[in-house]
């Protein structure tokens, strides 16, 4: 087998369609994802994955809007920080600030669209590629370890496991992003009601746009809930 044939086969595997799993498997992975999001003790651990998506959203939109990305830090308390340079105001800064809380849900929605179209392998490889790109900008050891572990999981599942396991993993990840994206805006709202998080993304957006932080918090809720409804419908109807 020559290298061109191997490359062609690999490309066809990535972009090709995979069979849809049974509805019961999709429902079970959704239940597992819900169990990973709901109990507080479990959420303290699994929230790290949502933080990766949150900070990755800030970073990606910062680059797309022409800002210079200085680095990303992920912390063991599930907080994170993305630092970029550029104009301190304007549409680029607004989009960058708005991307964090919406990123997990929108990534989940995009993943649901790929799964509904039968592109399970493309989703797994695409996620691994995004994590690899993010790793370059990580600036602390804990953050690097978290991203490496997450990326390794996608690579190992896509390379070593059969179609059913790949499908279960992919659907579980997408359900987790959709469900996990709903909880942080509620947590932010609770903190703000008790006088906490004065420099939250919603408060930064309020200062940038002169639109109240409550509006931006509502925006985060709308995006997360609409993504969950739309993504869930696509996956269950596939």
């Amino acid at each position: 087998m020559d290298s061109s044939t191997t490359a062609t086969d690999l490309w066809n595997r990535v972009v090709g369609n995979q069979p849809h799993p049974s509805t019961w498997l999709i429902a079970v992975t959704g239940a597992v994802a819900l169990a990973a999001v709901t109990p507080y003790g479990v959420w303290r651990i699994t929230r790290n994955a949502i933080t990766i998506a949150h900070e990755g959203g800030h970073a990606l939109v910062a680059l797309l809007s022409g800002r210079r990305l200085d680095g990303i830090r992920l912390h063991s308390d599930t907080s994170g920080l993305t630092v970029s340079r550029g104009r301190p105001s304007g549409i680029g800064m607004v989009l960058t600030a708005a991307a964090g809380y919406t990123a997990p849900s929108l990534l989940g929605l995009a993943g649901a669209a790929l799964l509904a179209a039968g592109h399970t392998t493309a989703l797994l490889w695409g996620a691994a590629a995004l994590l690899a790109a993010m790793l370059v900008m990580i600036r602390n050891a804990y953050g690097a370890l978290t991203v490496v572990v997450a990326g390794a999981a996608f690579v190992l599942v896509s390379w070593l496991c059969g179609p059913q396991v790949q499908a279960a993993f992919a659907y579980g990840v997408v359900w987790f992003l959709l469900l996990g994206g709903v909880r942080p805006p509620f947590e932010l709202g609770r903190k703000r009601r008790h006088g906490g998080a004065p420099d939250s993304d919603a408060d930064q957006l309020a200062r940038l746009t002169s639109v109240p932080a409550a509006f931006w918090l509502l925006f985060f809720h709308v995006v997360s809930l609409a993504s969950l409804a739309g993504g869930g419908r696509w996956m269950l109807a596939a």
Side-chain angles (χ1 to χ4, degrees):
M1 183 182 295
D2 60 39
S3 59
S4 62
T5 301
T6 302
T8 300
D9 290 342
L10 182 61
W11 175 253
N12 290 336
R13 178 184 173 189
V14 173
V15 302
N17 286 20
Q18 289 75 45
H20 293 293
S22 60
T23 302
W24 75 263
L25 186 145
I26 297 173
V28 167
T29 56
V32 171
L34 184 62
V37 168
T38 305
Y40 178 71
V42 177
W43 175 243
R44 287 181 61 187
I45 300 172
T46 59
R47 198 184 193 281
N48 283 284
I50 297 299
T51 303
I52 291 175
H54 179 115
E55 299 303 331
H58 282 314
L60 178 61
V61 174
L63 291 174
L64 292 176
S65 61
R67 300 181 62 80
R68 177 180 176 183
L69 186 61
D70 281 351
I72 304 167
R73 290 180 175 270
L74 305 172
H75 304 128
S76 58
D77 63 355
T78 73
S79 65
L81 177 66
T82 299
V83 178
S84 63
R85 296 183 190 178
R87 289 183 57 194
S89 60
I91 187 63
M93 188 61 202
V94 171
L95 292 175
T96 299
Y101 278 94
T102 57
S105 296
L106 293 177
L107 285 171
L109 186 63
L114 284 172
L115 293 178
H119 296 304
T120 304
T121 303
L123 184 149
L124 296 174
W125 283 50
L130 287 174
L131 288 166
M134 185 176 180
L135 181 61
V136 176
M137 299 308 302
I138 297 292
R139 296 293 181 262
N140 67 322
Y142 180 83
L145 176 62
T146 303
V147 173
V148 166
V149 169
F154 282 97
V155 171
L156 291 174
V157 169
S158 64
W159 196 257
L160 300 178
C161 297
Q164 282 293 100
V165 175
Q166 289 186 17
F169 182 78
Y171 274 86
V173 167
V174 171
W175 275 121
F176 176 75
L177 288 171
L178 291 171
L179 292 165
V182 171
R183 186 162 180 173
F186 282 101
E187 293 176 336
L188 176 58
R190 185 165 58 251
K191 287 180 182 177
R192 295 188 73 257
R193 285 195 298 272
H194 291 88
D199 292 321
S200 71
D201 292 353
D203 292 283
Q204 291 183 44
L205 285 163
R207 290 191 287 269
L208 286 167
T209 64
S210 299
V211 176
F215 168 85
W216 292 106
L217 188 59
L218 176 62
F219 173 71
F220 298 155
H221 282 303
V222 170
V223 171
S224 63
L225 292 171
S227 296
L228 174 59
R233 180 182 178 186
W234 286 346
M235 289 190 292
L236 290 170

